[in-house]
Amino acid sequence: AGKPAQLRRPTQCVGPPPVGGRGLVVLRGIVAAAGLLALWQGFVWITDVPPFLLPSPWRVAQALAARWESIAGHALVTGAEMLAGLALGAILGSAMALTLSAWRGGRRWLLPLLLVSQAVPVFAIAPLLTLWFGFGMASKVVMATMIIFFPVATAFYDGLRRTDPGLLDLAATMGATKGAMLWRIRLPSALPALASGLRVAAAVAPIGAVVGEWVGASAGLGYLMLHANGRSQADVMFAALFVLALMALALWFTVDRLLRRAIPWQPDSLLSDKTP
């Protein structure tokens, strides 16, 4: 009998990684934005709408260049409010989710309060927050925190509840305490859900800051937009809105990148073509 044939491992192709992924996503975003700007400019040309109602993209770019220093200064204030609200909302939301998961007796009282807190719109209590915390940054940070708190708490708590029961039964059989199961099994399993909540929080972070600035402020992009609206300066409003959109996108992509590095076992990003 002849010797058995040797099994050969398939050779791996060595070369640069295929082009695509995040670069393709960015390219698609640029193309989509260019298409929207072209439609906007065409609508202005065809309808001849007055600039104080709908300025052209070129007029918005001129306003952005002419008032860049002022817009940048207000953007720094709004950015600080967004980051502070995101940090506080993430910390408080995570703490609430861990408390609900670990404390079964308190869950019966805290969970209904968490749901009832969202029955009152934050926009309705914005004047009260301004009255209580003043016209400075504190009221805007509190408002952003309240908006961010709920998605983080609910997403993280849902992830803690959906831990594989087989892992929990195995840990209980081996004599693990509830604290050890929470720290060693539930928490790592729920981190992808927490990441989803943080992504949502990063997307809605500008809402609390800007709405608070609309109610009462002395600086910020919302404050600038409100004053530009009173003077019928639509081009300045659109310029501030454009900067706010860029800040929101930058915050979302930064949070997404940090989460994918910190939690490598989580599913692909929402913008990935690999996501089913």
Side-chain angles (χ1 to χ4, degrees):
K3 295 182 180 181
Q6 295 181 354
L7 298 178
R8 296 182 179 180
R9 295 182 180 180
T11 58
Q12 297 180 352
C13 297
V14 179
V19 179
R22 185 158 296 270
L24 185 59
V25 170
V26 174
L27 179 60
R28 289 173 180 172
I30 294 175
V31 172
L36 290 176
L37 289 176
L39 290 175
W40 180 3
Q41 184 68 55
F43 178 80
V44 172
W45 280 343
I46 294 173
T47 61
D48 197 20
V49 61
F52 65 88
L53 291 179
L54 182 63
S56 64
W58 176 246
R59 292 181 67 95
V60 174
Q62 288 179 324
L64 180 60
R67 304 191 57 174
W68 171 247
E69 293 184 1
S70 176
I71 293 176
H74 289 289
L76 289 177
V77 176
T78 302
E81 296 167 355
M82 291 166 51
L83 293 176
L86 179 61
L88 287 177
I91 293 173
L92 295 178
S94 300
M96 174 60 74
L98 290 172
T99 302
L100 292 174
S101 178
W103 187 19
R104 180 175 300 181
R107 187 186 313 166
R108 302 173 183 176
W109 301 93
L110 295 178
L111 189 57
L113 292 177
L114 178 64
L115 299 176
V116 170
S117 67
Q118 297 302 306
V120 180
V122 180
F123 310 101
I125 63 175
L128 288 176
L129 295 178
T130 304
L131 180 63
W132 293 339
F133 296 97
F135 289 88
M137 185 180 295
S139 59
K140 287 73 181 174
V141 172
V142 172
M143 190 172 304
T145 301
M146 294 180 64
I147 293 179
I148 292 168
F149 169 80
F150 185 76
V152 173
T154 53
F156 193 20
Y157 176 60
D158 188 62
L160 292 170
R161 290 176 56 248
R162 295 180 182 274
T163 307
D164 187 0
L167 296 177
L168 298 177
D169 293 340
L170 179 60
T173 302
M174 298 178 66
T177 62
K178 291 184 178 181
M181 287 191 290
L182 176 64
W183 181 253
R184 298 291 184 179
I185 299 178
R186 287 183 179 272
L187 184 59
S189 300
L191 288 181
L194 174 61
S196 299
L198 290 175
R199 290 188 179 94
V200 175
V204 301
I207 298 177
V210 172
V211 171
E213 292 170 355
W214 284 347
V215 174
S218 57
L221 290 177
Y223 169 81
L224 179 62
M225 293 170 63
L226 190 64
H227 277 255
N229 182 42
R231 298 183 177 94
S232 298
Q233 296 174 342
D235 51 352
V236 178
M237 291 180 59
F238 274 95
L241 184 61
F242 174 74
V243 173
L244 180 64
L246 289 182
M247 291 171 57
L249 288 174
L251 179 61
W252 192 93
F253 278 106
T254 301
V255 171
D256 177 68
R257 186 174 184 84
L258 292 176
L259 289 173
R260 287 191 297 112
R261 285 181 175 272
I263 315 174
W265 64 88
Q266 68 175 325
D268 291 330
S269 175
L270 295 175
L271 301 180
S272 175
D273 292 334
K274 299 179 182 180
T275 304

